[in-house]
Amino acid sequence: MSSRTNVSCLHEAKRVAIFGGTHGNEMSGITLVNMWKQNSAEIERNGLLIKPFISNPKAVKKCTRYIDTDLNRAFTPENLSAPDVEGLLYEVQRAKEINRMFGPKGSSDAYDVIFDLHNTTSNMGSTLILESSTDLFNLQMVHYIKKAMAPHTCSVLLNEHPQLKYSTTRSVAKHPIGLEVGPQPQGVLRSNVFESMRTILKHALDFIEFFNSGVEFPPCTVDVFRVQERMDYPRDTNGNITAMVHPHLQDCDWEPLNRGDPMFLTFDGRTILYEGANTVYPTFINEAAYYEKQQAFTTTCREILSANAIRKAFK
Amino acid sequence: SVVAMPTVSRVAVCGGTHGNELAGIYLVREMLKKRADGTEPVSVVTVMSNPRAAQLCVRYVETDLNRCFTRAALSAPVSETSPYEMIRSQELNALLGPKASAQAVDLLCDLHNTTANTGLCLITYSDRDWICLHICKHLEMASTPVRYVHFDIPLNEAYSLDSVGKHGFAMEIGPQPHGVVRSVIFSAMQEGVQLMMDWICQFNSGTLFEGGWVDVYTMVKNIDYPRDSETHVITAAVHPNLQDRDFCLLHPGDPMFLCFSGETLRYRGKEALYPFFINEGAYYEKGVALSLARKRRVQIPSVRSETLR
């Protein structure tokens, strides 16, 4: 039994948005959002305003990740406060618009929750991405989703790294959640990936509805993978990659990578080993969009986060 | 009886015809690094077909280069304002062809990747090109199945780069997402090209290749996604039972699409056919969810290169 002092009372989450097409070639979210814009029955919940939204419509139309710059890196303080002038990059303009509609970021007017739907070419399965280890609402929601999805695995990626954390589209909201499901090629809609994402959202919205109705969620722990480091491909002096992800590492997202394990295979057949001192858990292994970001994979370490019991605050 | 055929003296290996199909792009880059020293048994020209698209890692810049090799496209007048790929196809035709002339390269191998689970396919316009069929027979690989796919289109209307050579095929390997290079796919392509070159060298030096049988998959028709009649937006995904089942026989009544509404749509054809290019990312805009082929065994004769007089 939890005593009153151990229960965190949080604001009701009344306004929720579901973003698809932050990257215009990640098809699950685009398809779901378009479907729900046409017919929202499936996502309706009592007392909740739920807005399905296409974040980067120009990129979606061209079925490309972005037009001028990656929207999911564009929500920096500089960009959001940039004056409205001619010649602003499309995604910077769009970030300002989204900040107006769903933010302002950091203010009490901002949307309570934004789910940002993504796909990856990496074999990450269903992944929930958090930006804070202390957001109790998000931790409890993620815990609920994982339990509801079992035995289907949902991994949780935490990017709280001071340098590697980036300004995401969803960061406009008080409680941002990234949904990343793979593997799926860009521009392709795979039925199993689509249905997984759809089910995750169903559970997420159920949680919010329960929370808003006054249900108390007991203390819980969440196993997460915390972002450590970005590993680039070996490159030549012209910046071209000289090796590929090794076949033993390919598709092994979330599995331990130990010192001495194969990491890359050069085009002429030479193996390059992982030399790190500690065991790491790689993710985003061979993501198509990250070749230009100098990222062959991201290393993580395992951590267990704790969350207090939570309940909606009474007015 | 043995069929005598001219030696395959000039070979072209092309990559990057689609700028985001990376195995061929990296293989061509590696091949270009190796300087020819004149001792090679076969003259091989290695070409990056669409360098601008490869630079941007996109399929094409203005129009699909691999649809620009029909006789009409190759003889159309072009200017600086023509689409880049229309200009480029004529450049490639001048370099490796001209198509249907005596100056064309003897064999053109065009490297491609697909998001579909096709394994390795040699895709060509003829089901009686003994050179292509013998190469296919020679390509037995542990790492991937090898199949011969035939599009029954007359040469004039053949639209792809491989139709420029006297003999030619696309070497298509999947599954690989566009914009990604997977090491097993790269290795398979490298091995496929190597085995092709081995065959050519042996053939040119007079080796007799015994005839036999090759399974040929001849394209019959394409099937599009179910779409909303007004918006034209797709209303279903390839069914999980069909996804990744390229070249597994599809029977009438088998599931084909799973609608977002939950309904299953089934294959309504009368004839069991072989699906391939199931859920290729680049084909959504072409209105193709999958292609269907008929399979038959083709008998191929023994072949040997003609003795030069």
Side-chain angles (χ1 to χ4, degrees):
Chain A
M1 195 172 85
S2 52
S3 78
R4 281 190 59 129
T5 51
N6 284 343
V7 182
S8 297
C9 295
L10 308 174
H11 287 301
E12 201 175 352
K14 285 233 80 136
R15 296 184 317 154
V16 174
I18 303 174
F19 285 4
T22 293
H23 295 134
N25 52 12
E26 295 178 12
M27 302 307 296
S28 305
I30 293 165
T31 307
L32 283 170
V33 164
N34 281 333
M35 192 175 85
W36 288 330
K37 281 174 73 177
Q38 253 219 332
N39 182 351
S40 62
E42 196 177 314
I43 56 171
E44 278 164 16
R45 296 289 189 283
N46 275 331
L48 260 182
L49 169 76
I50 302 182
K51 190 169 166 66
F53 182 79
I54 295 285
S55 2
N56 195 339
K58 264 201 191 172
V60 169
K61 191 139 194 264
K62 288 184 69 177
C63 197
T64 188
R65 182 178 176 86
Y66 57 81
I67 303 296
D68 294 328
T69 187
D70 193 335
L71 180 64
N72 213 30
R73 304 288 184 278
F75 286 74
T76 60
E78 302 73 41
N79 282 349
L80 295 182
S81 59
D84 281 315
V85 290
E86 282 283 325
L88 266 188
L89 299 179
Y90 171 69
E91 279 86 6
V92 172
Q93 260 174 267
R94 193 66 186 149
K96 283 156 55 82
E97 246 176 279
I98 289 171
N99 193 38
R100 273 192 290 272
M101 291 174 73
F102 297 96
K105 178 166 166 173
S107 80
S108 55
D109 289 333
Y111 262 59
D112 296 291
V113 186
I114 295 179
F115 297 102
D116 194 18
L117 308 184
H118 288 268
N119 292 119
T120 174
T121 59
S122 306
N123 189 27
M124 290 167 72
S126 298
T127 299
L128 301 164
I129 307 183
L130 298 175
E131 298 181 10
S132 157
S133 57
T134 55
D135 183 331
L136 297 179
F137 181 86
N138 273 359
L139 285 172
Q140 287 279 0
M141 175 159 57
V142 154
H143 177 257
Y144 177 91
I145 293 169
K146 283 179 66 132
K147 259 179 69 180
M149 292 293 287
H152 179 100
T153 306
C154 267
S155 307
V156 182
L157 180 66
L158 171 66
N159 193 355
E160 210 175 28
H161 192 291
Q163 283 84 49
L164 298 185
K165 185 171 177 160
Y166 47 82
S167 305
T168 57
T169 313
R170 57 190 177 267
S171 66
V172 159
K174 293 171 187 158
H175 305 292
I177 302 252
L179 267 62
E180 187 88 60
V181 187
Q184 182 172 267
Q186 295 168 344
V188 164
L189 185 74
R190 289 180 68 104
S191 183
N192 60 334
V193 170
F194 173 81
E195 297 294 344
S196 291
M197 193 175 273
R198 192 179 192 174
T199 306
I200 291 171
L201 273 159
K202 172 199 146 19
H203 293 310
L205 295 178
D206 288 346
F207 170 85
I208 299 175
E209 191 179 20
F210 285 136
F211 174 80
N212 286 352
S213 73
V215 170
E216 182 174 309
F217 292 87
C220 69
T221 60
V222 182
D223 289 346
V224 304
F225 292 90
R226 182 189 281 274
V227 168
Q228 297 289 294
E229 210 187 339
R230 250 183 233 149
M231 301 291 285
D232 192 11
Y233 293 95
R235 291 176 189 268
D236 62 21
T237 47
N238 295 324
N240 295 316
I241 70 171
T242 55
M244 308 163 279
V245 169
H246 195 279
H248 291 187
L249 177 58
Q250 178 68 52
D251 297 336
C252 293
D253 300 68
W254 312 122
E255 291 174 34
L257 181 69
N258 301 302
R259 183 196 198 87
D261 285 348
M263 193 169 55
F264 296 113
L265 181 66
T266 65
F267 291 115
D268 45 25
R270 197 172 43 91
T271 294
I272 298 174
L273 305 176
Y274 178 64
E275 311 270 70
N278 304 314
T279 297
V280 291
Y281 296 83
T283 190
F284 277 121
I285 300 173
N286 205 351
E287 159 55 48
Y290 287 177
Y291 282 60
E292 70 174 22
K293 298 197 199 299
Q294 278 93 50
Q295 203 172 320
F297 61 94
T298 299
T299 63
T300 71
C301 63
R302 296 182 70 164
E303 198 170 312
I304 301 177
L305 299 181
S306 303
N308 274 359
I310 65 168
R311 153 161 65 75
K312 178 182 78 167
F314 300 129
K315 292 209 172 85
Chain B
S1 60
V2 179
V3 172
M5 301 191 68
T7 56
V8 180
S9 346
R10 290 168 60 231
V11 176
V13 174
C14 303
T17 299
H18 294 133
N20 54 8
E21 295 178 14
L22 294 194
I25 287 169
Y26 283 111
L27 186 56
V28 157
R29 284 199 188 144
E30 289 299 301
M31 288 172 70
L32 286 169
K33 279 183 197 164
K34 300 191 167 98
R35 298 214 159 272
D37 59 8
T39 63
E40 291 76 24
V42 184
S43 136
V44 181
V45 59
T46 309
V47 183
M48 188 69 75
S49 321
N50 194 339
R52 269 179 58 182
Q55 231 275 316
L56 297 170
C57 197
V58 294
R59 180 177 176 87
Y60 56 81
V61 178
E62 291 178 76
T63 189
D64 191 335
L65 176 62
N66 215 28
R67 301 292 182 275
C68 292
F69 292 91
T70 58
R71 180 199 275 210
L74 291 176
S75 49
V78 290
S79 68
E80 311 92 62
T81 55
S82 300
Y84 168 72
E85 280 88 2
M86 284 290 283
I87 300 172
R88 185 63 183 149
S89 69
Q90 295 196 2
E91 278 174 13
L92 289 165
N93 190 42
L95 177 70
L96 305 173
K99 175 167 164 172
S101 80
Q103 288 77 49
V105 295
D106 296 299
L107 179 70
L108 199 160
C109 171
D110 189 23
L111 305 175
H112 285 267
N113 291 121
T114 172
T115 60
N117 187 26
T118 55
L120 190 156
C121 294
L122 299 185
I123 308 180
T124 173
Y125 294 102
S126 170
D127 59 356
R128 62 207 68 178
D129 184 321
W130 310 135
I131 301 284
C132 295
L133 284 157
H134 266 277
I135 290 173
C136 186
K137 188 162 171 286
H138 187 72
L139 249 59
E140 250 195 56
M141 290 164 64
S143 56
T144 177
V146 174
R147 296 184 183 91
Y148 191 96
V149 176
H150 163 231
F151 281 68
D152 193 10
I153 300 176
L155 194 61
N156 284 350
E157 288 155 50
Y159 45 75
S160 51
L161 171 57
D162 52 281
S163 68
V164 169
K166 289 184 187 134
H167 307 276
F169 46 73
M171 182 180 288
E172 181 94 51
I173 309 189
Q176 182 174 266
H178 299 313
V180 161
V181 62
R182 293 177 68 103
S183 56
V184 296
I185 299 290
F186 175 85
S187 300
M189 192 174 267
Q190 198 173 42
E191 192 185 351
V193 169
Q194 190 55 55
L195 288 168
M196 175 188 79
M197 295 307 306
D198 288 347
W199 186 91
I200 293 169
C201 291
Q202 287 186 57
F203 176 77
N204 288 352
S205 55
T207 305
L208 171 78
F209 283 93
E210 290 288 343
W213 299 91
V214 176
D215 284 333
V216 169
Y217 294 85
T218 297
M219 202 289 222
V220 171
K221 62 182 171 186
N222 291 323
I223 307 233
D224 193 6
Y225 291 94
R227 293 174 185 272
D228 180 284
S229 48
E230 279 173 38
T231 62
H232 208 58
V233 166
I234 71 172
T235 55
V238 168
H239 197 281
N241 288 14
L242 178 59
Q243 179 68 55
D244 300 335
R245 293 252 179 50
D246 299 64
F247 300 105
C248 297
L249 192 59
L250 183 71
H251 302 93
D254 284 348
M256 229 172 29
F257 298 107
L258 181 60
C259 296
F260 307 144
S261 62
E263 191 193 344
T264 292
L265 298 178
R266 296 174 182 277
Y267 172 53
R268 295 255 167 263
K270 298 257 175 15
E271 185 189 350
L273 292 171
Y274 291 86
F276 66 103
F277 280 138
I278 300 172
N279 206 350
E280 159 54 50
Y283 286 179
Y284 284 64
E285 71 176 21
K286 297 192 201 297
V288 176
L290 62 142
S291 301
L292 290 170
R294 224 170 253 133
K295 178 170 84 160
R296 69 187 218 281
R297 303 219 98 182
V298 169
Q299 187 172 32
I300 62 175
S302 304
V303 295
R304 179 166 42 206
S305 66
E306 287 168 345
T307 323
L308 295 169
R309 292 202 193 98

